[in-house]
């Protein structure tokens, strides 16, 4: 996906901001390590909606696995549109930018992550970390898309997922992952709303004039072109925002993170 880097970087920027202000009882984190991992999760989740397109670069994150998931997602979303479309909606022949680009999908993704970890605990948490971090890596490196590089993405994501376990308080993993997934997905939706095509944000529950899959977009000619000049400017701005926020997170020095790893302090006090 040509907007992959912008989506991933915007997810990281928003994730860093949210992690620093989100109350602990709402799934917030209270350590520098937790803030960074939260941002990594939102960066990956900011690519989730584009799994509805087998042609998207992110759909090759884990080779055949994400390829199969993407094809299934596209077929499913296409079927959802055709089953719920209004009398003035055209028949859907491509599931991209349909159900996975709705508000309800973003909320459901976060709730699903929370429920999954609540039911299966640590294995589910590691699995979701692995998957989301892999999407984030692919989103930031879209040109790196050879036939075998997904193996490297898989290995790096696995290593990061295992290491991340020691940086986020284990007791809060359920809420942390759930909120990070929703925040990342919502960030993606806001980015796509700014493009000329827009997204069906409230479909299919809010019909207008006989249409359930109408698009929310910027008025007039304000929409940007994917991978165009405005998109590149946004990528630069989000990158600077990430760098600036990381400077704040590390303001008290790396000792904020390292003791969490080596002292085994994985629970809130």
């Amino acid at each position: 996906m040509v907007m992959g880097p912008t989506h991933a970087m915007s997810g990281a920027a928003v994730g860093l901001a949210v992690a620093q202000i989100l109350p602990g009882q709402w799934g917030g984190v209270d350590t520098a390590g937790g803030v960074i991992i939260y941002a990594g999760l939102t960066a990956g989740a900011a690519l989730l909606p584009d799994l509805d397109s087998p042609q998207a670069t992110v759909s090759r994150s884990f080779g055949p696995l994400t390829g199969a998931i993407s094809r299934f997602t596209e077929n499913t979303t296409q079927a959802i549109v055709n089953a719920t479309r209004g009398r003035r909606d055209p028949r859907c022949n491509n599931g991209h930018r349909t159900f996975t680009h709705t508000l309800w999908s973003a909320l459901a993704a976060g709730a699903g992550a929370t429920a999954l970890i609540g039911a299966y605990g640590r294995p589910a948490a590691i699995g979701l970390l692995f998957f989301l971090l892999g999407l984030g890596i692919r989103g930031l490196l879209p040109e790196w898309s050879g036939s075998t590089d997904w193996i490297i993405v898989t290995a790096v994501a696995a290593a990061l997922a295992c290491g991340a376990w020691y940086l986020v308080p284990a007791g809060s993993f359920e809420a942390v992952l759930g909120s990070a997934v929703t925040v990342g997905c919502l960030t993606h939706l806001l980015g796509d709303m700014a493009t000329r095509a827009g997204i069906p944000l409230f479909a299919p529950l809010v019909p207008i004039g006989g249409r359930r899959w109408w698009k929310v977009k910027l008025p007039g000619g304000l929409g940007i072109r994917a991978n165009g000049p405005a998109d590149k400017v946004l990528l630069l701005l989000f990158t600077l925002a990430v760098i600036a926020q990381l400077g704040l997170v590390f303001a008290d020095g790396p000792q904020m993170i390292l003791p969490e790893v080596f002292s085994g302090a994985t629970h809130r006090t």
Side-chain angles (χ1 to χ4, degrees), residues 195-206:
T195 64
R196 296 173 181 175
I199 57 170
L201 185 65
F202 302 110
L205 302 183
V206 183

Side-chain angles (χ1 to χ4, degrees), residues 5-199:
T6 306
H7 283 314
M9 196 62 71
S10 64
V14 173
L16 282 168
V18 170
Q20 294 178 79
I21 63 175
L22 191 64
Q25 62 269 30
W26 293 2
V29 291
D30 54 10
T31 64
V35 169
I36 292 172
I37 297 305
Y38 192 95
L41 296 176
T42 55
L47 276 300
L48 269 177
D50 276 343
L51 282 176
D52 64 357
S53 173
Q55 289 74 42
T57 303
V58 70
S59 296
R60 298 193 291 275
S61 297
F62 297 112
L65 173 62
T66 40
I69 292 174
S70 183
R71 287 189 293 273
F72 173 80
T73 302
E74 183 191 24
N75 291 334
T76 301
T77 54
Q78 180 177 320
I80 290 174
V81 175
N82 287 327
T84 61
R85 63 193 178 103
R87 68 179 188 278
R88 293 185 56 201
D89 286 316
R91 184 170 182 80
C92 178
N93 296 311
N94 186 328
H96 182 44
R97 283 207 183 188
T98 55
F99 184 71
T100 63
H101 287 67
T102 65
L103 173 63
W104 329 118
S105 176
L107 296 175
T114 299
L116 188 64
I117 298 172
Y120 298 102
R122 183 184 181 113
I126 291 294
L128 282 170
L129 282 166
F130 162 69
F131 188 72
L132 292 176
L133 292 172
L135 294 186
I137 293 169
R138 171 58 73 197
L140 291 171
L141 301 169
E143 293 85 7
W144 188 39
S145 55
S147 60
T148 60
D149 64 357
W150 65 270
I151 298 175
I152 301 175
V153 171
T154 301
V156 173
L160 290 175
C162 291
W165 179 262
Y166 298 98
L167 295 180
V168 178
S172 69
F173 245 136
E174 184 176 333
V176 165
L177 269 171
S179 62
V181 169
T182 293
V183 168
C185 289
L186 289 176
T187 302
H188 180 108
L189 299 189
L190 289 173
D192 278 358
M193 279 173 54
T195 64
R196 296 173 181 175
I199 57 170

Side-chain angles (χ1 to χ4, degrees), residues 203-231:
L205 302 183
V206 183
I208 291 183
R211 298 188 62 189
R212 292 182 177 274
W213 291 89
W214 52 277
K215 302 291 183 69
V216 177
K217 63 179 73 174
L218 294 178
L222 297 179
I224 67 173
R225 180 169 57 87
N227 206 32
D231 182 29

